[in-house]
Amino acid sequence: MLCTLWERFDLSLLLSQSGIFKVRGVATWVLAFLYVVGLINRSPSVNALSSFYNQDGLLQQTLGAKKISQSALSRFLTGFSGWDVFNNKRTERLQDDTDTALTNGDVLALDDTHAPHPYAKKIPFLYWLYDSSSKTYTWAMNIVALHAVRRNGVEYPWSYSIWKKPESETAKESSKLDLAWRMLQDVRKQVSCRLWVVMDRWYFSKPFLRQCESANFDWITKAKRNTKLFRRLIEPGTGRERFVPIQPIDLIREVYPRLKMQPKAKVASVVCQDIYIQMPTEKRNRKGQMIIKMKYTPIAAVVGWRVKEESKDTERSRIDTTDESDHEPAADYKGAYLLMSNRHDVPQEVLGAWLRRWNIEILFRTAKQELGMLNCHSQNENHIHAHLTLLFTAETLIRYLLWAQRKTAGKEDCTHGQVIRNLICIRCHTRRVHSRNKPDSITLDLDTVAKDFARLIRRLWPPNLEIGWFCPFSTNQLLGTTA
């Protein structure tokens, strides 16, 4: 199944186009695929991964290498630095597939996470960072990520960047915003459609939001308690336009009774009309010079409230996910919160796009708990980039399988971990079968639950199982066996 998806998205070809070919006679697409298999199999180290491969006869026949040493894997991971090229080609290839290509109205979730790495001291992007969940400082790297979420349900990690501390202490926040802006600019090199960028309140920076609008991105974020909002009023008689300041929490209190009148909705929402915010705008003064002026700009202000609580912890994490803005808490009142967006023309779409922001939190959780995001203890910078890039590749394949399973089954039967355990990391054994049509055939028995994955296996499993792959940059084709 994993082999079929690897070939479907041409990942071997993309690796060959990224400039890496062979390490000690082993094609690097084989090593990359093996590393992805190791991540999904939760191999804790390169040594454990090589031992796992050397004991698996079926995997050896499939990849066409009898033995792969720890040294070959280590040289592959530390000797190549063009992983950004491969990741760009991966996302570019995803845009060629109708199932995964982004279209108007899809979401890019922007967030960052800490990855503790206490085993190295001289890597340039490791610092003492404050963890707001544990209220302690940890020696870690700060990873900024973009996660694509389509309206049809398919999702996959887009890209990541590792934050590096600027020389000036006053430029810490702006450097991370600049990093996020460069990542969004890279998206525009491949995708031209109009997308939502959903982010937590830490990224609420008016210059950054203006940059998003200039690149045809629509932004959504939460309001802070100190966010300055204004309500537009028309004076009776004179007809003069006025902008009256209003606090976000007062706006939530004002519409809270209307939220209580929606008990049947899982997430209740109320759109607040005629709400404005001051945004920086370039303007030419009398001397002909370009200056920055604050202009009243209409925004979509939507108050949301989750009616049916799954649990107290889940509710709190979904509504007010932890970020680095403890000194600037979100504006909330009795569980209700205020969302802001530049799309004041379609405020009814704001809440639906915001709810998809939670998917990037799930991405960080599954990457750490199920794919070993924190298991890379290498002191080599290239190895860390290889680990994160191939982890994003593995997560892309798993997310596609998870979406395909839900689509074929018609309901959400399986979780991310169940797809790994019951579809990818399943046990299998072969047996010889004698019949009239095929007197000397081999049957492959898979130890999994048929009712959950029968349609998916029928759709993606190849009709002829060839033990051995075709290498796209080699003149030799391995001998195939039909099972």
Side-chain angles (χ1 to χ4, degrees), residues 103-387:
T103 58
N104 288 329
D106 291 337
V107 166
L108 284 174
L110 172 64
D111 204 354
D112 60 279
T113 185
H114 291 174
H117 197 299
Y119 308 97
K121 297 297 181 183
K122 296 184 179 180
I123 298 179
F125 44 72
L126 290 176
Y127 313 99
W128 286 106
L129 302 176
Y130 181 74
D131 187 355
S132 57
S133 59
S134 61
K135 308 299 181 183
T136 59
Y137 283 89
T138 58
W139 185 253
M141 52 185 167
N142 196 359
I143 302 173
V144 182
L146 281 175
H147 187 62
V149 185
R150 291 208 57 199
R151 287 179 294 180
N152 64 355
V154 67
E155 57 182 283
Y156 50 87
W158 183 277
S159 63
Y160 78 92
S161 292
I162 302 178
W163 173 76
K164 293 185 179 181
K165 186 177 180 180
E167 297 180 358
S168 173
E169 290 291 330
T170 59
K172 281 186 177 180
E173 293 187 2
S174 61
S175 65
K176 192 185 294 185
L177 293 173
D178 292 339
L179 182 61
W181 171 236
R182 288 196 296 269
M183 295 171 64
L184 290 175
Q185 286 180 308
D186 291 337
V187 174
R188 277 288 168 246
K189 296 178 182 178
Q190 300 180 12
V191 181
S192 59
C193 58
R194 193 168 187 175
L195 302 172
W196 296 96
V197 177
V198 294
M199 64 201 86
D200 59 33
R201 62 188 183 275
W202 189 93
Y203 291 90
F204 180 77
S205 171
K206 292 180 179 180
F208 176 67
L209 299 182
R210 278 300 194 193
Q211 287 178 325
C212 293
E213 295 176 14
S214 66
N216 200 27
F217 289 112
D218 298 321
W219 53 268
I220 305 175
T221 187
K222 268 187 180 179
K224 304 176 184 178
R225 292 185 183 178
N226 60 351
T227 302
K228 295 181 179 179
L229 300 178
F230 301 86
R231 171 173 282 162
R232 177 178 173 269
L233 299 176
I234 302 297
E235 291 184 350
T238 61
R240 190 176 65 176
E241 187 180 51
R242 292 182 54 200
F243 294 93
V244 181
I246 182 172
Q247 295 295 328
I249 193 170
D250 294 333
L251 189 60
I252 300 174
R253 287 197 186 104
E254 182 181 299
V255 302
Y256 188 79
R258 296 166 60 186
L259 291 173
K260 299 287 289 184
M261 297 173 62
Q262 306 176 32
K264 295 183 179 181
K266 291 184 178 180
V267 181
S269 63
V270 175
V271 177
C272 304
Q273 302 293 338
D274 296 326
I275 303 300
Y276 284 67
I277 192 172
Q278 288 184 328
M279 296 290 285
T281 305
E282 288 189 352
K283 185 178 180 180
R284 194 176 300 275
N285 61 9
R286 296 179 180 179
K287 297 182 180 180
Q289 300 174 344
M290 297 300 298
I291 59 174
I292 302 296
K293 298 284 287 186
M294 302 303 290
K295 180 182 178 181
Y296 290 106
T297 306
I299 63 169
V302 180
V303 178
W305 178 56
R306 186 172 295 276
V307 179
K308 297 181 180 180
E309 297 185 359
E310 298 176 4
S311 66
K312 186 175 180 180
D313 295 337
T314 304
E315 173 68 11
R316 182 176 180 182
S317 62
R318 285 180 181 268
I319 289 182
D320 191 15
T321 52
T322 304
D323 56 27
E324 299 180 9
S325 307
D326 291 341
H327 60 288
E328 296 178 346
D332 59 351
Y333 174 74
K334 295 184 178 180
Y337 52 94
L338 178 62
L339 301 177
M340 301 184 302
S341 174
N342 64 310
R343 292 302 303 274
H344 59 90
D345 55 332
V346 286
Q348 65 276 5
E349 298 181 10
V350 172
L351 182 63
W354 169 259
L355 294 177
R356 284 182 274 173
R357 196 203 75 85
W358 182 248
N359 295 51
I360 193 171
E361 302 288 351
I362 298 176
L363 167 68
F364 292 148
R365 184 186 66 190
T366 55
K368 293 177 181 180
Q369 295 181 357
E370 299 177 3
L371 292 180
M373 183 178 183
L374 306 181
N375 290 346
C376 182
H377 302 161
S378 175
Q379 301 184 21
N380 183 277
E381 185 174 350
N382 290 338
H383 189 168
I384 294 176
H385 282 290
H387 178 76

Side-chain angles (χ1 to χ4, degrees), residues 73-91:
L73 277 169
S74 298
R75 291 192 180 190
F76 160 67
L77 296 170
T78 60
F80 179 69
S81 59
W83 290 108
D84 290 340
V85 178
F86 170 69
N87 190 70
N88 290 334
K89 290 183 177 296
R90 175 184 65 88
T91 53

Side-chain angles (χ1 to χ4, degrees), residues 407-465:
K407 182 180 178 182
T408 55
K411 55 182 178 179
E412 297 184 6
D413 287 333
C414 300
T415 63
H416 183 279
Q418 289 172 338
V419 169
I420 293 178
R421 293 188 298 270
N422 300 335
L423 184 62
I424 301 178
C425 297
I426 57 176
R427 294 175 297 174
C428 63
H429 66 275
T430 59
R431 56 189 173 89
R432 180 172 296 180
V433 177
H434 296 277
S435 61
R436 294 182 180 180
N437 298 330
K438 297 180 179 180
D440 194 13
S441 61
I442 297 175
T443 299
L444 183 65
D445 296 324
L446 304 177
D447 184 12
T448 186
V449 182
K451 65 178 183 179
D452 294 336
F453 303 105
R455 295 181 182 178
L456 184 60
I457 293 174
R458 189 180 301 113
R459 176 188 173 190
L460 296 178
W461 191 270
N464 294 327
L465 179 61

